[in-house]
Amino acid sequence: MDNTSRITLYDESDFRGLRRAGQLAAACLDFIEPHVVPGVNTEKLNDLCDGFIRDHDAIPAPLNYRGFPKSICTSVNRVICHGIPSKNHLLREGDIINIDVTVILDGWHGDTSRMYGVGDKIPLKARRLCTVTWNSLNFALDAVRPGATLGDIGHAIQHYAEGMRMSVVRDFVGHGIGRKFHEPPHVFHFGNPGKGLALLVGMVFTIEPMVNFGKPHGKMLSDGWTAVTQDRTLSAQYEHMLAVTKDGLEVFTHSPLGLQDKLNANV
Ligand code: MF3
Ligand code: CO
Ligand code: CO
């Protein structure tokens, strides 16, 4: 069995479910934005998102997933990903935070994340990091079409981010998604053009590059989840979920309110 044969291909009727799940996750990220302010604790953000998701007849996928204790991930400053919301973690003016929401709606997963600035005095280097990360995701999306390869996607991210003298995290990848939270394939955020699996119409996966201001290396905190940069530099991440279509792609997780690139800096 080759790699391709383990990958589920989804059809137009599946897309209707995936679209609704993706839009709900993105709407949750829009909903939470006004609450991301100095002095709020990340457990409050968790509880608000949890309530929003359940009010829309969905379930937060992270809760109890492989033992994860909360409903969303909140990754602040040097946290690369999988930060655990906590009452004791108060956001401060100038912080940057990734909020990662995954919902299950009628059995379909919707997975997306974006960066928020806390307050209105975000240091330029933090805004540049976020903008480079956002741009890298969009260059990756530009590479998605039937016949392109996973290597084309990874290369688009790596080539751009490293060209901006930032680094791409290797330890976490995008993933197939649908009825399950994480399915094949692994979607690497680095790679070589033309290498790796060729994309087929009906593949559904996330692209979720993590970019560090310094070196790419991470380490895990003792909670077993929180990944942080070894050199303590800032890390940023954006995540979209998409399908490969005959025309190229459909992104399921665009912000309904168009809020997703608010940290835009001149880079
Ligand atoms: N939402 C994350 C992703 O993009 C996964 C979080 S797993 C959890 O794949 F257990 F931490 F929730
Ligand atoms: Co994901
Ligand atoms: Co996610």
Side-chain angles (χ1 to χ4, degrees):
M1 195 156 87
D2 65 17
N3 290 327
T4 319
S5 55
R6 298 167 52 234
I7 296 173
T8 306
L9 299 181
Y10 294 96
D11 65 18
E12 191 49 50
S13 108
D14 303 326
F15 286 6
R16 282 193 284 278
L18 290 158
R19 208 173 276 138
R20 288 182 66 233
Q23 280 298 289
L24 179 60
C28 185
L29 293 181
D30 286 354
F31 154 79
I32 201 65
E33 193 199 70
H35 301 281
V36 183
V37 292
V40 75
N41 68 69
T42 51
E43 183 164 289
K44 176 85 187 294
L45 301 178
N46 178 83
D47 295 352
L48 286 166
C49 288
D50 182 278
F52 180 92
I53 292 164
R54 294 181 195 280
D55 285 347
H56 290 81
D57 303 312
I59 296 166
L63 187 61
N64 301 321
Y65 179 79
R66 301 186 180 179
F68 192 78
K70 294 287 177 181
S71 300
I72 62 171
C73 298
T74 51
S75 301
V76 181
N77 293 342
R78 68 180 287 231
V79 178
I80 294 170
C81 64
H82 301 164
I84 302 173
S86 157
K87 209 159 71 270
N88 300 323
H89 191 144
L90 272 58
L91 297 183
R92 295 155 59 153
E93 176 81 38
D95 284 346
I96 55 170
I97 176 175
N98 174 279
I99 300 181
D100 192 335
V101 167
T102 311
V103 305
I104 311 171
L105 179 62
D106 296 334
W108 295 103
H109 287 77
D111 186 8
T112 182
S113 82
R114 70 176 81 133
M115 300 302 297
Y116 303 81
V118 180
D120 50 16
K121 293 193 274 291
I122 312 303
L124 180 60
K125 75 174 190 181
R127 285 192 291 122
R128 285 189 66 238
L129 173 68
C130 294
T131 301
V132 166
T133 310
W134 171 249
N135 291 348
S136 78
L137 171 56
N138 283 283
F139 285 126
L141 296 177
D142 291 342
V144 176
R145 68 186 71 88
T149 70
L150 288 178
D152 294 335
I153 292 174
H155 177 76
I157 295 164
Q158 182 183 14
H159 177 74
Y160 170 69
E162 292 182 355
M164 300 305 285
R165 310 188 65 88
M166 299 185 192
S167 68
V168 176
V169 171
R170 309 295 179 110
D171 302 345
F172 302 93
V173 298
H175 51 92
I177 184 167
R179 290 278 182 196
K180 290 192 292 195
F181 195 167
H182 295 105
E183 311 181 345
H186 289 317
V187 179
F188 294 95
H189 302 118
F190 54 91
N192 294 307
K195 301 291 185 192
L197 198 70
L199 305 184
L200 299 172
V201 171
M203 285 181 180
V204 173
F205 54 86
T206 70
I207 307 177
E208 46 185 295
M210 286 138 279
V211 176
N212 296 350
F213 206 80
K215 297 256 155 23
H217 314 288
K219 66 175 187 188
M220 177 85 76
L221 297 188
S222 58
D223 61 22
W225 281 102
T226 310
V228 298
T229 56
Q230 263 181 34
D231 63 8
R232 309 183 81 90
T233 59
L234 294 175
S235 187
Q237 180 177 30
Y238 285 84
E239 175 175 25
H240 268 319
M241 171 178 127
L242 62 95
V244 181
T245 66
K246 69 175 178 13
D247 303 320
L249 80 170
E250 176 176 342
V251 176
F252 294 127
T253 47
H254 284 310
S255 163
L257 299 179
L259 300 180
Q260 57 208 350
D261 56 349
K262 298 252 277 199
L263 282 157
N264 233 336
N266 269 328
V267 291

